[in-house]
Amino acid sequence: MKLLAFAASNSSKSINKQLATYAASIVEGADVEILDINDYEMPIFSQDREEELGQPELAQKFFAKLGEADGIIISFAEHNGSYTAAYKNLFDWTSRIDMKVFQNKPMVLLATSPGPGGAKSVLAAASGSAPYFAADVKASLSIPSFFDNFDMEKGELKNDELKSALTEAVFKLHQ
């Protein structure tokens, strides 16, 4: 299984990237690629820019990466209850190539934050809208209080209940 994982964040210290990387590592036998959305930074989407630029090469490359994967894990950072501007911009450009952005790939959607909310608002938005963009969402999971539940040295969840829930979620990528 070729597995693509990334954080919907452009932070170099992204806890969502740590979570996505860890989640991908527990998928047995997977050939894992961890993307950094900073590699796909483009001007802010607008109709004017689309008329001027067409479909940027970086959006096309991102769409191709999604298409090459057998499964996708995304961990969403939450900014003011919603997507990060960096992810939303990449998504907007990519959706102009094809509204079926996720190309019917099995996906696990995650989110985490330092606080007890676990970025549940953005995860709910992502989980609710993903099927409209041809995502086969197999599971979604919020990890609250990241720094209390994640062992930074080992790079893994230390909360057994959350670890079990995450393992169960990523296992569904094979179903």
Side-chain angles (χ1 to χ4, degrees):
M1 167 181 245
K2 186 172 182 180
L3 183 59
L4 188 66
F6 63 93
S9 167
N10 62 346
S11 171
S12 64
K13 298 173 184 155
S14 172
I15 58 177
N16 280 281
K17 186 172 187 178
Q18 292 176 61
L19 180 59
T21 301
Y22 171 63
S25 77
I26 59 178
V27 178
E28 291 185 23
D31 174 17
V32 177
E33 181 176 0
I34 307 296
L35 282 187
D36 184 335
I37 68 168
N38 286 303
D39 296 337
Y40 300 90
E41 190 171 322
M42 293 171 275
I44 294 174
F45 177 81
S46 72
Q47 280 189 313
D48 293 339
R49 287 196 179 103
E50 184 180 30
E51 288 173 13
E52 175 189 338
L53 302 172
Q55 296 171 339
E57 183 180 347
L58 290 175
Q60 293 177 42
K61 285 182 177 182
F62 182 71
F63 184 75
K65 283 284 186 192
L66 296 173
E68 293 164 3
D70 297 315
I72 301 168
I73 295 173
I74 305 174
S75 189
F76 291 90
E78 185 173 275
H79 287 186
N80 298 316
S82 191
Y83 300 107
T84 65
Y87 174 76
K88 182 68 167 77
N89 192 55
L90 175 57
F91 181 83
D92 287 346
W93 276 112
T94 305
S95 72
R96 300 301 286 182
I97 294 168
D98 187 335
M99 287 296 289
K100 295 178 181 174
V101 173
F102 299 117
Q103 304 168 58
N104 299 307
K105 303 298 177 172
M107 298 177 68
V108 170
L109 304 181
L110 306 170
T112 192
S113 70
K120 284 183 182 174
S121 293
V122 71
L123 184 60
S127 298
S129 69
Y132 296 105
F133 300 98
D136 180 9
V137 179
K138 297 294 188 181
S140 64
L141 180 66
S142 166
I143 304 295
S145 306
F146 182 79
F147 295 105
D148 294 337
N149 290 308
F150 196 84
D151 185 323
M152 299 297 283
E153 287 182 19
K154 292 181 180 177
E156 65 182 28
L157 284 170
K158 59 186 176 184
N159 177 305
D160 289 337
E161 187 177 320
L162 292 172
K163 191 180 220 177
S164 176
L166 181 61
T167 300
E168 186 179 315
V170 298
F171 179 77
K172 292 178 181 178
L173 286 169
H174 291 292
Q175 297 176 332

